[in-house]
Amino acid sequence: MINEKIKISTKNLNVFYASKQALFDININLKENKVTALIGPSGCGKSTFIRCLNRMNDVIDICKVEGSIKIDGDEINKKNLDVNLIREKVGMVFQKPNPFPKSIYDNVAYGPRIHGLAENRESLDNIVENSLKKAALWDEVKDRLNQPGTGLSGGQQQRLCIARTISINPEVILMDEPCSALDPIATAKIEELIDELKETYTIVIVTHSMSQAARVSNDTGFFHLGKILEFNSTEKIFKNPDNKLTQDYITGRFG
Amino acid sequence: MNSKQKEILMRKRYSAEKRFKFFGIFSISLAILFLCILLFNIFTSGLSAFFKTKLILKINFDEKKLGINMNTPDEAIKASNFNEILQDALLNLDLLAPDLKKIELIDIVSIDATYELKRFYLQNKDQLNKIVEISLTLSDDLDQLYKGNFPRDIPEDRRRFSDFQLKVFDEQNSQNKIITEFNFSFFKNADSREPELAGIGASLIGSLLTILVCLILSFPIGFLAAIYLEEFAPKNKITEIIEINVNNLAAVPSIVFGLLGLGVFLNYFYLPRSTPLVGGLVLALMTLPRIIIPCRAALKAVSPSIREGALALGASKVQAVMHNVVPLALPGTLSGTIIGLSQALGETAPLILIGMVAFINVVPTYPIDPSAVLPVQVYLWSESAERGFVEKTSATIIILIFFLVLMNSSAIYLRNKFEKKWS
């Protein structure tokens, strides 16, 4: 328990969609270089929560976020902060693979290009290669980097999106049900990848699969009706949860 | 429900399906039938305009009659008169013609024939003092007769050529002196009072310039307006009013835009009347909403996850839209624009109001030259009395349809090409 540095912490986080409140007083601490899984029935606010962490909720006009979100101790939920800088630091992988209408190479090179991370063509090539290698996709696509990213299979597309996310070297990766559109084999590959990525990145993953949460995460948080009912180590949550509802949910009795 | 009732129910369903199918096929066949009738009608009356009838004459380029010699400069040749040698050749067709009929002999060919001779001589100066066989354009009345567009059994006082001219024509025809060749001048010449000389050169170039002005104005403005409204504008009362008005403008009758152009561009800004510049401006106003609407639809159809993906990488909103959303919306945008422009190409009423209905006998070069456009040319010729203009009207429609089909199929081609690329 000595090396466990807190990466992200929220305090009294409340989120409203117009007049409807989606999250109630979320207080949570996410540890550095660990995988945190967020579970809970549909509509409980898991996705809303992780979208707060890279200010993606700004895109939704009617959404209002109140409270404090700190990354490495710096407040990110304040008005005059450049959201692009936060998103450079906190990457996101979405539910449905969403490759850009570009080649595989350009998909990965897009982030480094807009942030000016590569000085020349050679270093850009290196970033692309390393990102694809880290995303365990390099061997499958190295001969067709110029083909459209949309031509890959669903699982490959999702790994391409992960490569794209890590290309700008973020500190945190948010994953919003990254395997819900994938078959079991592709899912297994992504899970393996998550295990490797946590060496370098802090990962927050939203998932509907209990087994996935149990397999990949160090900590698990259980959301219910916009509140966090229980947050603890994954082992504790799955073996001996404090809350009766958590117990019911993970054993499939409701949700 | 027992099996009997079930069977009745199923039979009803089958017959309803059959009925629906029948009505569908019936309507489509009806539409195709009308299209075929229209095309058949236009092509049968228009195709002959692509050919012209010529008379082969023996011309003597006599230097005394022409008043020129081998060393005469081109300028002087252009100023000299080739009428006499033409008349000599025509009078030779029937040496016994009484004096009164001689004028009828001269009228067999088009008034352009003397210029045709001049053009021929300017390129073949070695033919001086030689007798050469040259084909010259026939007058439009005999042209129509030869093409079978004009019945020959009508009494003399009700047709525009005399029995004597008919006799000479038949004689020449039996000697194979009447030939048909492709009518290049139909595409090169501007409008004329003489049907055999009238062409769509001026209106073709005029239409091209007008559409060009329209495209240059309406595409960037419409496209950017669509991007702003769809991606950046806040959703409030003002943008809502703008959206409703854009939709209303698309439904405003085109002649209203013509009135607007007349009032604003001509009477207030004093822009040159009846020019492609003003025509393009008016059509751009009319086309703008017709471009904005499909462009917005194309942008709306792009999955929001693409935008979020780019934003989550730290792209700015402009970068997310320009780099990733616009390329995906491009096929819809392009085909919407092309279809908007092809509507503009066929537009007549607003252009009549800004004076593009004028008689233009010079092919325009710049957008500020007075010019005609194809649909207005159709309108003008359809009102002319001469037989020769009937085929010209239909031929112009054929050209117009050709360009419309070309534009619309390029819209389909672009859409398929870009869609395939990303799916």
Side-chain angles (χ1 to χ4, degrees):
Chain A
M1 294 301 235
I2 311 150
N3 266 341
E4 288 183 345
K5 198 186 147 205
I6 303 299
K7 184 75 183 170
I8 302 173
S9 72
T10 69
K11 211 166 184 187
N12 297 334
L13 183 66
N14 287 291
V15 178
F16 304 85
Y17 291 112
S19 60
K20 188 178 165 289
Q21 188 163 4
L23 287 179
F24 298 84
D25 286 327
I26 304 293
N27 296 300
I28 202 170
N29 289 323
L30 306 174
K31 293 175 198 132
E32 190 161 36
N33 288 8
K34 297 280 183 234
V35 178
T36 306
L38 303 178
I39 57 170
S42 300
C44 67
K46 310 178 293 282
S47 297
T48 304
F49 174 72
I50 68 162
R51 287 169 64 96
C52 290
L53 304 182
N54 66 345
R55 295 276 297 268
M56 278 307 278
N57 282 330
D58 290 17
V59 177
I60 303 162
D61 286 335
I62 56 166
C63 186
K64 211 169 80 197
V65 181
E66 286 173 359
S68 152
I69 307 164
K70 284 186 174 158
I71 296 182
D72 293 332
D74 297 328
E75 178 62 47
I76 64 156
N77 191 29
K78 51 185 182 188
K79 264 233 157 86
N80 47 9
L81 198 69
D82 189 346
V83 291
N84 294 338
L85 297 178
I86 301 165
R87 291 173 188 158
E88 213 179 327
K89 216 165 166 190
V90 184
M92 190 169 197
V93 177
F94 294 84
Q95 189 169 355
K96 225 179 117 233
N98 54 353
F100 297 141
K102 302 177 188 302
S103 69
I104 294 170
Y105 183 94
D106 289 336
N107 256 286
V108 184
Y110 185 70
R113 273 186 183 139
I114 59 173
H115 293 296
L117 298 184
E119 281 133 29
N120 50 34
R121 180 78 194 188
E122 205 179 315
S123 76
L124 189 62
D125 285 347
N126 279 333
I127 294 176
V128 171
E129 184 175 339
N130 284 333
S131 307
L132 284 169
K133 274 181 177 159
K134 276 189 202 161
L137 190 62
W138 175 252
D139 290 331
E140 290 161 62
V141 299
K142 64 181 175 204
D143 302 323
R144 45 173 175 155
L145 290 174
N146 291 324
Q147 284 174 24
T150 41
L152 298 172
S153 75
Q156 288 173 326
Q157 285 189 14
Q158 195 61 299
R159 276 180 283 150
L160 179 64
C161 292
I162 292 173
R164 191 174 76 189
T165 307
I166 58 188
S167 68
I168 55 171
N169 211 13
E171 294 165 19
V172 182
I173 299 177
L174 310 172
M175 296 183 167
D176 191 356
E177 297 178 44
C179 303
S180 63
L182 306 180
D183 64 54
I185 295 167
T187 303
K189 275 193 181 153
I190 303 267
E191 285 178 7
E192 233 170 81
L193 184 59
I194 291 171
D195 222 38
E196 282 165 32
L197 291 175
K198 77 174 176 198
E199 305 289 325
T200 338
Y201 310 101
T202 305
I203 295 174
V204 186
I205 177 170
V206 168
T207 178
H208 276 292
S209 155
M210 293 308 107
S211 54
Q212 186 172 61
R215 276 196 302 270
V216 301
S217 68
N218 306 99
D219 288 336
T220 299
F222 175 60
F223 277 75
H224 184 57
L225 298 175
K227 296 189 176 95
I228 186 144
L229 289 191
E230 191 164 357
F231 183 80
N232 224 321
S233 76
T234 303
E235 211 182 328
K236 169 101 171 93
I237 293 263
F238 279 89
K239 280 198 177 137
N240 182 22
D242 293 332
N243 196 303
K244 175 83 172 49
L245 270 172
T246 315
Q247 173 85 41
D248 288 349
Y249 181 73
I250 57 178
T251 51
R253 258 170 281 187
F254 97 101
Chain B
M1 191 184 283
N2 60 33
S3 63
K4 180 129 187 157
Q5 281 172 313
K6 184 105 189 160
E7 198 178 302
I8 292 170
L9 188 73
M10 291 307 276
R11 207 176 295 148
K12 264 189 187 162
R13 265 167 60 169
Y14 285 137
S15 56
E17 232 163 83
K18 260 188 203 156
R19 242 185 346 261
F20 183 79
K21 243 184 179 168
F22 169 77
F23 286 131
I25 292 171
F26 179 74
S27 344
I28 289 175
S29 328
L30 211 62
I32 291 175
L33 179 73
F34 282 125
L35 183 68
C36 288
I37 293 175
L38 174 79
L39 287 181
F40 178 77
N41 211 332
I42 289 169
F43 273 84
T44 45
S45 56
L47 276 181
S48 57
F50 295 114
F51 301 94
K52 67 168 160 190
T53 318
K54 290 189 137 185
L55 170 67
I56 297 174
L57 269 183
K58 276 201 184 93
I59 302 285
N60 181 7
F61 287 99
D62 185 344
E63 64 176 6
K64 273 177 227 132
K65 283 185 175 163
L66 287 170
I68 55 176
N69 58 42
M70 290 302 261
N71 303 319
T72 311
D74 281 4
E75 293 308 311
I77 295 173
K78 276 176 191 159
S80 61
N81 193 346
F82 280 63
N83 244 340
E84 203 176 343
I85 57 168
L86 173 66
Q87 285 181 9
D88 285 351
L90 284 166
L91 292 177
N92 273 340
L93 290 177
D94 189 347
L95 292 169
L96 304 173
D99 280 357
L100 269 175
K101 296 280 184 192
K102 278 181 179 160
I103 184 76
E104 290 180 10
L105 262 181
I106 290 164
D107 273 350
I108 281 181
V109 291
S110 157
I111 57 158
D112 192 44
T114 156
Y115 301 101
E116 284 179 306
L117 279 183
K118 203 179 278 183
R119 282 195 292 268
F120 173 83
Y121 178 72
L122 279 168
Q123 299 194 337
N124 305 279
K125 289 191 189 148
D126 52 331
Q127 303 293 349
L128 194 61
N129 286 327
K130 288 182 186 151
I131 294 173
V132 193
E133 281 204 327
I134 297 176
S135 61
L136 297 170
T137 306
L138 269 182
S139 81
D140 74 294
D141 303 309
L142 292 170
D143 174 59
Q144 291 302 306
L145 175 81
Y146 185 73
K147 285 171 178 170
N149 292 341
F150 193 86
R152 56 186 301 143
D153 45 12
I154 284 180
E156 187 180 11
D157 56 343
R158 286 184 55 202
R159 54 177 138 86
R160 288 164 54 100
F161 48 88
S162 64
D163 283 343
F164 174 67
Q165 283 175 320
L166 189 59
K167 194 193 93 200
V168 175
F169 173 81
D170 285 340
E171 268 170 27
Q172 295 302 314
N173 198 8
S174 61
Q175 293 166 28
N176 291 327
K177 295 286 186 195
I178 307 284
I179 57 162
T180 297
E181 65 177 43
F182 190 75
N183 194 354
F184 287 106
S185 59
F186 178 63
F187 295 95
K188 282 194 298 200
N189 290 2
D191 198 4
S192 165
R193 293 282 178 239
E194 308 296 325
E196 76 272 17
L197 300 180
I200 54 168
S203 42
L204 205 59
I205 301 293
S207 267
L208 226 65
L209 289 172
T210 308
I211 290 298
L212 201 69
V213 172
C214 175
L215 170 72
I216 289 171
L217 282 171
S218 61
F219 179 62
I221 297 176
F223 189 41
L224 291 176
I227 291 179
Y228 181 76
L229 283 175
E230 193 58 43
E231 303 285 344
F232 298 101
K235 304 274 173 280
N236 58 25
K237 270 269 176 297
I238 299 171
T239 46
E240 205 174 292
I241 289 169
I242 291 174
E243 185 173 350
I244 292 170
N245 278 306
V246 168
N247 287 332
N248 281 344
L249 276 180
V252 167
S254 56
I255 197 158
V256 176
F257 288 101
L259 281 171
L260 181 79
L262 179 65
V264 177
F265 299 133
L266 296 187
N267 292 348
Y268 190 78
F269 288 112
Y270 294 108
L271 292 177
R273 197 166 286 272
S274 116
T275 54
L277 174 70
V278 180
L281 281 168
V282 168
L283 291 182
L285 285 179
M286 192 197 79
T287 314
L288 259 181
R290 296 177 187 179
I291 289 181
I292 293 177
I293 292 170
C295 283
R296 287 193 69 177
L299 288 168
K300 198 173 270 186
V302 175
S303 155
S305 74
I306 295 291
R307 283 178 200 94
E308 292 204 323
L311 290 175
L313 267 180
S316 68
K317 213 164 172 188
V318 174
Q319 288 174 325
V321 170
M322 288 302 171
H323 296 161
N324 298 308
V325 178
V326 166
L328 280 171
L330 211 58
T333 309
L334 288 180
S335 59
T337 304
I338 293 173
I339 286 167
L341 285 179
S342 68
Q343 279 175 333
L345 180 67
E347 205 55 67
T348 323
L351 299 182
I352 289 177
L353 281 179
I354 56 136
M356 290 191 99
V357 72
F359 174 75
I360 305 293
N361 55 3
V362 187
V363 177
T365 338
Y366 301 106
I368 44 169
D369 296 336
S371 100
V373 287
L374 286 172
V376 179
Q377 193 69 73
V378 171
Y379 166 74
L380 279 173
W381 282 343
S382 71
E383 289 206 315
S384 300
E386 283 97 333
R387 256 300 147 149
F389 283 122
V390 175
E391 58 168 23
K392 294 244 147 50
T393 309
S394 296
T396 312
I397 295 173
I398 293 174
I399 299 295
L400 193 56
I401 289 177
F402 171 76
F403 278 108
L404 292 177
V405 169
L406 195 72
M407 287 173 85
N408 289 346
S409 43
S410 68
I412 294 169
Y413 171 76
L414 283 175
R415 196 165 49 207
N416 289 346
K417 191 187 157 196
F418 282 104
E419 262 173 10
K420 241 179 235 146
K421 205 169 159 191
W422 301 126
S423 55

